[in-house]
Amino acid sequence: MIVFVTGASAGFGAEMARTFVKHGHQVVMAARRMDRLDALARELGESALPVEMDVASKESIDEALSMLPQSWRQIDVLINNAGLALNTLPAHQVPLADWETMIDTNCKGLVTMTHALLPAMVERGSGLIINLGSVAGAYPYPGGNVYGATKAFVEQFTLNLRADLVGTGVRATNLAPGLCGGTEFSNVRLKGDDAAAAKVYEGTTPLTAKDIADTCYWIATLPPHVNINLIEMMPTCQGFGPLNIRRA
């Protein structure tokens, strides 16, 4: 099968590319950082196709898809992996630009990619869309504000896809991880403060990019009559705390 992975230059996306190629599939690896994609393509060989693309730009998406070689255009699995969190400040202190970037990437980018590839899947009567959500979409926490809201959007959008796609043979899944280490997620969120990012994972055994990639592969290789609506994953070191209460 042909798998299209957004945000493939690092973290979850790069590991997803490795996992699918290792099992004999073709992967279109899309991201903004072409140097990283080229390095990954050299590692993975002819079954990996690097494509420069910014999901926050419809023009970039349209151009990238138009330039795909004909033999790579029948996308069987779309993994909407590109996404980010910015800032941990309370809502009244976060720059509006951070909110806009998260919405443009996590919501608008995801729906634009889906809108571009979904009609052909429905026409063929097969296909799978895996959207990368987060436990933040279900459980609010201080500093989560718009990031959590974008992931709640991902969850509801995925469920509504399921409602529309009944009987078409096209499947949709929301994969929602909790604490994951070994990626750039916290470094990006904390604006390059590597020491603060490292503290997020201090003393923990978090999920890894490989855990997420292996789960994606399992979802994608289930029999075509099976749809996984939602998978919520957490490491055993993470759980649920009391409600946030501010005391005088």
Side-chain angles (χ1 to χ4, degrees), residues 4-9 12-14 16 28-31 53 55 78-83 109 113:
F4 194 112
V5 182
T6 67
S9 60
F12 295 171
M16 289 168 189
V28 181
M29 308 182 301
M53 191 186 79
V55 297
L78 167 62
I79 304 179
N80 281 312
N81 167 70
M113 278 302 307

Side-chain angles (χ1 to χ4, degrees), residues 88 179 184-202:
T88 56
L179 185 71
E184 301 173 332
F185 177 83
S186 289
N187 306 74
V188 171
R189 184 171 207 173
L190 296 167
K191 308 292 181 77
D193 188 339
D194 294 340
K199 279 194 170 297
V200 173
Y201 309 100
E202 201 171 77

Side-chain angles (χ1 to χ4, degrees), residues 145-168:
N145 45 75
V146 165
Y147 174 68
T150 64
K151 294 305 184 177
F153 175 91
V154 171
E155 179 170 352
Q156 193 63 20
F157 178 63
T158 306
L159 291 174
N160 276 277
L161 282 177
R162 288 282 299 119
D164 287 342
L165 295 173
V166 170
T168 65

Side-chain angles (χ1 to χ4, degrees), residues 54-75:
D54 180 0
V55 297
S57 164
K58 183 180 184 301
E59 292 74 21
S60 177
I61 290 173
D62 289 344
E63 182 179 1
L65 293 177
S66 72
M67 293 177 67
L68 286 180
Q70 201 63 41
S71 60
W72 287 79
R73 293 193 175 192
Q74 185 173 308
I75 307 300

Side-chain angles (χ1 to χ4, degrees), residues 12-103:
F12 295 171
E15 200 59 43
M16 289 168 189
R18 291 187 181 99
T19 299
F20 279 93
V21 167
K22 181 179 74 175
H23 287 95
H25 305 289
Q26 295 171 260
V27 179
V28 181
M29 308 182 301
R32 293 174 298 173
R33 295 179 291 188
M34 200 62 192
D35 56 333
R36 293 198 178 197
L37 291 178
D38 285 339
L40 191 56
R42 287 193 295 272
E43 174 192 333
L44 298 179
E46 293 182 356
S47 293
L49 178 68
V51 173
E52 187 172 7
M53 191 186 79
D54 180 0
V55 297
S57 164
K58 183 180 184 301
E59 292 74 21
S60 177
I61 290 173
D62 289 344
E63 182 179 1
L65 293 177
S66 72
M67 293 177 67
L68 286 180
Q70 201 63 41
S71 60
W72 287 79
R73 293 193 175 192
Q74 185 173 308
I75 307 300
D76 300 294
V77 181
L78 167 62
I79 304 179
N80 281 312
N81 167 70
L84 78 167
L86 289 173
N87 235 305
T88 56
L89 290 171
H92 57 288
Q93 295 178 6
V94 179
L96 178 60
D98 286 356
W99 282 3
E100 291 173 329
T101 299
M102 287 186 281
I103 292 167

